[in-house]
Amino acid sequence: MSRQFEYAILALGETIAYERRSADDKRQALGVGAAEFLLRVHRQMPDYLRPPFHILVLLFNAWPLIRKGRFFYQLSLDDRLAELDRWRRSRLEFRRRFVEFHVSLALFGIYSNLYGQDYQHDPVVTGAPARL
Amino acid sequence: MTLLSPEHPLASEKITPDVIVIGSGPGGAVTATQCAEAGKSVLMLEEGPHLPLESAPHFSREEILQKYRNAGVNIGFGAAKIAYVEGRCVGGGSEINRGLYHHTPESVLDLWRRGYRVDALTLDELAPHFAACEAVARVEYLPGPAPQLSTRLDEGAQRLGWSSVEVPRLYAYTKDAASGAPGRKQSMSETFVPRFLKAGGMLMADTCATKLTHSDGRWTVHARVNGSARPREIELKAKTVFVAAGAVQTPWLLRRSGIKRHIGNSLRFHPMLKVVALFADELNTPGELEPVHQIKEFDPRFSMGCSMSKRPALALAMAAHPEMIDAVDRDWRRMAIYYVQSTGGTGRVRSLPGFRDPLVRVALEPSDLKELADGLARLAEVLFAAGAVAVYPSIPGYPVLKSLADIGKLPETLSPKQANATALHLFSSCPMGEDSDKCAANSFGRVHGTSNLFIADASLLCGPTVVNPQGTVMAVAHRNVMRAIEDRAI
Ligand SMILES: Cc1cc2nc3c(=O)[nH]c(=O)nc-3n(C[C@H](O)[C@H](O)[C@H](O)COP(=O)(O)OP(=O)(O)OC[C@H]3O[C@@H](n4cnc5c(N)ncnc54)[C@H](O)[C@@H]3O)c2cc1C
């Protein structure tokens, strides 16, 4: 994975964490956690999907060069949010899908960090063997 | 008990078992255990790691990274794409699923027998095999009342006069309420795999079979050992091989090995759509048991149920309505995820030169998409009958439904581009039966035109099971391996 790719995913994770809530002092850490999860997913996805996804991330990162002269990860947070929104509302399907894919996974990562305790169980007594 | 791992590199090459089983999911684990208990020397290969049940909480981020193939990112390509999920660890899908358990409906077996000429596959003939598997992996009803998110669905169904059932699970609820745990899931790593090891079976985790070749009456399994050390290639020999790598990976492996007749051409699945329902009162609490009710009114067209609805899952399901994400933080106790799943759609599995992961292409016909759209409308109907105040389809661009009347706003059919369907149940990629025009293996799983090569997983099932499939996968695997042992075919 290239440096640019990692910077872009980190910026994406942070942006999604900020977008989720207007005020939350954990956002920075949540963003890093979300980005780490996204990187793991990219690493583990089917091997023939990795190169096209890699290119898509680089494309997403480079897109703001046209309007702003900077890569996505170099933009201010507000500009990043606006850029994410432009992709979300784009008429091009691949841009919308790109955002859907990354936002849904990042949210899953963020909520896993926030609410890991949801997975704890209360004890219950034994069940009846099923009569099928 | 023998547990081989890639950390013992020399040992693995030296062993010459009677039988090699590729894959340790429900099909492979049942098959390997029966062979080992029949006195055969058996080596079971598993591509994924050997992890304890509690290495990660169910449906958590950690579980997805540890136990799901490709971190859960698998796409069936086509006009309407399908995202599908498979387990990749010792125990396969049984480690990550909810273990909702059914016997195969008689009508499904009838279809398979007639359509594929499968011998000896009535429900009566399968019954002893279900019983044998249930003696090892316990199947139980909840000891007390089901969680509210589950009973709500049941109440909605009752109000509409629809048939709804509580489904038992592959689960042993704890006797010791003070232990702090709800019991043990009866996954393969908890049940058949320990039994297999106790019978002298050998297990090699982190080992991916990449090709099969046959010469001098023996099979050679070419495999790549991943583990912690550097990956290395090995060759293992045995007279008999059972391929039980699951409905996508089994055809991938066989096709790579040049075995292609009716292999990977007829993948089937249960396409599934999800919604988040918002209720007026709280019904979702942390630590709740898994929901267990299913609506069977429309079987075999489609069935409905409730999914695990913890906050991370809710956030994922609500991603299609980004404006509602904050509501998950606020109202999650009033939210739950429900699904409808049908039986339509077909697929093909192909291996791509130079790549490990198979390419899956899927086709959903207009009638399949219409069926799913009807199912979605019915699901919304039952949720409003259950007291929902809003229903959010997990389909980008779909309207939020606030009342029964809003159901009329749903498109008549799903557009292929929007569909956003997923599939957890995959089968039929190498169907069994005597009809040589469409079957990959005979009625008991032996691959047509080969000797001592068997398929032993969900690939063999001739079509959708309509109900949750693991019970059928296990019973059919048990039936087939018992026949092979009786016939002294192994
Ligand atoms: C999230 C989820 C929820 C589900 N819920 C339910 C439920 O509630 N009830 C139910 O009945 N069913 C459920 N299912 C379906 C059920 O888990 C499957 O039907 C069942 O696991 C299929 O068993 P199998 O033996 O065919 O394959 P699998 O379980 O897929 O096992 C195949 C194994 O082979 C291994 N393998 C693959 N390729 C290779 C290779 N080349 N070399 C070595 N090893 C290899 C894999 O890593 C895997 O461990 C669910 C499935 C999922 C994914």
Side-chain angles (χ1 to χ4, degrees):
Chain A
M1 280 181 189
S2 66
R3 269 283 157 85
Q4 287 281 322
F5 177 88
E6 286 182 8
Y7 290 156
I9 292 286
L10 185 60
L12 195 54
E14 278 175 358
T15 312
I16 296 166
Y18 270 81
E19 189 184 45
R20 195 197 125 251
R21 269 193 195 173
S22 46
D24 186 331
D25 50 13
K26 284 197 226 149
R27 281 176 303 181
Q28 176 106 34
L30 288 176
V32 174
E36 277 167 2
F37 181 55
L38 288 176
L39 285 173
R40 291 280 302 268
V41 171
H42 272 279
R43 244 176 254 135
Q44 283 179 232
M45 69 172 55
D47 48 5
Y48 60 85
L49 284 182
R50 265 174 247 154
F53 267 77
H54 198 103
I55 290 168
L56 262 182
V57 170
L58 294 181
L59 189 68
F60 171 79
N61 191 35
W63 205 275
L65 282 174
I66 311 165
R67 292 162 139 263
K68 301 265 178 189
R70 284 161 180 255
F71 287 106
F72 177 78
Y73 75 87
Q74 293 170 325
L75 296 178
S76 70
L77 197 60
D78 282 344
D79 283 347
R80 277 197 233 154
L81 286 166
E83 185 65 17
L84 193 63
D85 229 36
R86 261 194 289 280
W87 275 62
R88 186 180 275 134
R89 291 173 208 285
S90 170
R91 265 178 298 160
L92 298 176
E93 194 197 339
F94 84 89
R95 292 176 73 188
R96 292 197 308 273
R97 293 277 175 176
F98 177 90
V99 175
E100 269 162 43
F101 177 79
H102 287 93
V103 169
S104 56
L105 283 172
L107 284 174
F108 183 71
I110 289 168
Y111 277 72
S112 301
N113 269 348
L114 282 172
Y115 304 121
Q117 76 271 19
D118 283 10
Y119 292 103
Q120 265 135 45
H121 289 276
D122 287 335
V124 291
V125 291
T126 189
R131 248 182 252 122
L132 294 145
Chain B
M1 155 160 127
T2 322
L3 180 63
L4 280 181
S5 72
E7 277 72 56
H8 302 97
L10 277 177
S12 58
E13 270 106 340
K14 280 195 183 146
I15 50 169
T16 48
D18 302 325
V19 177
I20 294 178
V21 177
I22 300 169
S24 65
V30 168
T31 303
T33 304
Q34 293 317 119
C35 290
E37 291 186 347
K40 305 287 169 196
S41 92
V42 188
L43 172 64
M44 181 156 62
L45 300 181
E46 168 55 52
E47 182 180 4
H50 192 193
L51 296 166
L53 204 50
E54 45 283 296
S55 71
H58 181 45
F59 198 50
S60 63
R61 176 186 47 184
E62 292 71 25
E63 187 183 64
I64 286 173
L65 293 174
Q66 287 176 8
K67 297 186 180 173
Y68 281 51
R69 180 171 295 279
N70 300 125
V73 180
N74 297 295
I75 303 170
F77 291 94
K81 295 182 187 58
I82 298 256
Y84 65 91
V85 181
E86 300 169 286
R88 182 183 167 279
C89 56
V90 170
S94 75
E95 306 300 315
I96 60 171
N97 73 21
R98 295 203 287 134
L100 293 164
Y101 186 85
H102 291 269
H103 288 178
T104 332
E106 183 96 63
S107 55
V108 167
L109 294 176
D110 282 350
L111 277 178
W112 295 358
R113 276 199 322 274
R114 278 190 274 115
Y116 293 79
R117 306 211 330 255
V118 188
D119 296 338
L121 193 70
T122 62
L123 199 49
D124 282 348
E125 282 160 315
L126 263 191
H129 304 290
F130 280 115
C133 294
E134 289 156 22
V136 180
R138 281 167 62 185
V139 178
E140 291 182 358
Y141 285 106
L142 279 173
Q148 273 201 62
L149 54 171
S150 187
T151 52
R152 280 301 159 90
L153 190 68
D154 187 43
E155 285 158 22
Q158 283 177 23
R159 277 186 202 125
L160 295 172
W162 295 357
S163 137
S164 157
V165 292
E166 182 188 329
V167 180
R169 292 176 65 206
L170 284 149
Y171 209 96
Y173 293 97
T174 182
K175 289 193 181 60
D176 175 14
S179 72
R184 303 292 290 174
K185 192 160 101 159
Q186 298 290 282
S187 67
M188 295 301 106
S189 71
E190 282 285 305
T191 55
F192 278 92
V193 172
R195 210 173 149 128
F196 164 72
L197 295 172
K198 199 165 166 221
M202 296 171 280
L203 172 67
M204 263 181 92
D206 299 304
T207 304
C208 176
T210 52
K211 198 174 177 181
L212 307 176
T213 50
H214 193 247
S215 62
D216 302 329
R218 296 179 80 74
W219 287 98
T220 302
V221 177
H222 306 257
R224 185 176 310 113
V225 181
N226 291 313
S228 50
R230 254 188 319 139
R232 48 192 196 94
E233 311 289 330
I234 56 169
E235 287 181 8
L236 299 153
K237 290 187 192 301
K239 185 176 149 233
T240 303
V241 170
F242 286 87
V243 185
V248 172
Q249 306 301 324
T250 284
W252 170 81
L253 177 60
L254 292 174
R255 292 189 69 90
R256 277 176 64 91
S257 308
I259 302 162
K260 296 188 177 171
R261 195 168 154 72
H262 304 312
I263 302 279
N265 299 338
S266 53
L267 181 73
R268 301 292 303 270
F269 38 83
H270 289 155
M272 172 196 277
L273 296 177
K274 286 189 174 174
V275 303
V276 176
L278 176 70
F279 290 85
D281 51 339
E282 294 188 353
L283 75 167
N284 188 3
T285 45
E288 277 279 19
L289 293 164
E290 299 272 353
V292 286
H293 284 94
Q294 289 180 342
I295 293 179
K296 292 284 158 200
E297 179 71 16
F298 303 98
D299 278 14
R301 288 178 58 207
F302 45 77
S303 57
M304 302 166 196
C306 181
S307 297
M308 221 272 294
S309 302
K310 310 229 184 277
R311 276 177 278 190
L314 279 170
L316 194 59
M318 204 55 121
H321 301 273
E323 72 289 355
M324 290 303 297
I325 287 298
D326 288 348
V328 172
D329 296 272
R330 211 177 41 240
D331 294 327
W332 66 277
R333 284 175 190 272
R334 301 200 287 126
M335 291 177 170
I337 305 169
Y338 296 90
Y339 65 82
V340 58
Q341 82 188 354
S342 73
T343 57
T346 53
R348 279 171 178 268
V349 182
R350 291 292 179 268
S351 62
L352 290 172
F355 290 101
R356 158 64 187 91
D357 293 301
L359 180 71
V360 175
R361 293 193 54 82
V362 295
L364 286 169
E365 297 301 321
S367 56
D368 301 325
L369 293 164
K370 175 81 176 72
E371 199 79 301
L372 275 171
D374 287 351
L376 187 67
R378 293 295 197 165
L379 179 60
E381 187 180 347
V382 72
L383 290 171
F384 284 119
V389 293
V391 173
Y392 302 88
S394 296
I395 304 179
Y398 257 52
V400 178
L401 311 174
K402 294 269 171 68
S403 68
L404 210 51
D406 282 353
I407 296 176
K409 288 189 199 157
L410 288 172
E412 286 265 298
T413 188
L414 283 178
S415 102
K417 281 230 162 89
Q418 263 183 316
N420 218 27
T422 51
L424 307 179
H425 306 159
L426 303 148
F427 12 68
S428 317
S429 50
C430 314
M432 62 183 171
E434 304 307 320
D435 185 339
S436 58
D437 286 339
K438 47 184 168 183
C439 296
N442 76 4
S443 296
F444 293 91
R446 188 177 52 73
V447 177
H448 284 302
T450 67
S451 63
N452 291 72
L453 178 64
F454 295 82
I455 298 172
D457 60 21
S459 327
L460 276 183
L461 310 184
C462 304
T465 46
V466 181
V467 297
N468 302 72
Q470 189 184 322
T472 307
V473 175
M474 291 163 68
V476 168
H478 193 273
R479 158 191 180 268
N480 293 357
V481 70
M482 293 315 283
R483 170 62 75 104
I485 292 168
E486 277 159 30
D487 288 355
R488 297 181 188 283
I490 54 175

